[in-house]
Amino acid sequence: MKIETLKKRLNKNRSMTTITMRLPEDVVEDLKRVAPLLGFSGYQPLARAYIGQGLRADLERLENDTVSALVETLKHHGVSDEVLQEALSEVIYD
């Protein structure tokens, strides 16, 4: 995830939207029980944290899959490993 995107995600004043989600009662009870043990003010912030963690992991995996596919395609078209490494380091460290 890019630094700019991560900074936006960490902003506590991001706008929120209300959703309705059906969860099994035992899951909600477990969330309520675990939330204070993990330092959360309630089960909803914990649920948001869990969703965010899973979403970030999936986004990272999907972005890496796309980059890997692009690198393989560029190699197939004759772009050297040296050029690819230089380009990737510019993307990662800029």
Side-chain angles (χ1 to χ4, degrees), residues 5-57:
T5 304
L6 186 57
K7 285 180 183 177
K8 288 178 186 176
R9 291 267 169 101
L10 293 174
N11 180 358
K12 293 183 187 244
N13 296 322
R14 291 186 301 162
S15 62
M16 303 280 269
T17 188
T18 301
I19 65 165
T20 300
M21 183 172 21
R22 296 177 59 81
L23 296 171
E25 288 180 13
D26 62 311
V27 170
V28 175
E29 291 307 314
D30 286 344
L31 286 167
K32 288 178 179 179
R33 184 173 49 86
V34 170
L37 299 173
L38 295 177
F40 288 87
S41 60
Y43 76 97
Q44 290 181 351
L46 177 59
R48 281 193 297 272
Y50 284 149
I51 292 168
Q53 287 173 345
L55 179 59
R56 284 189 299 279

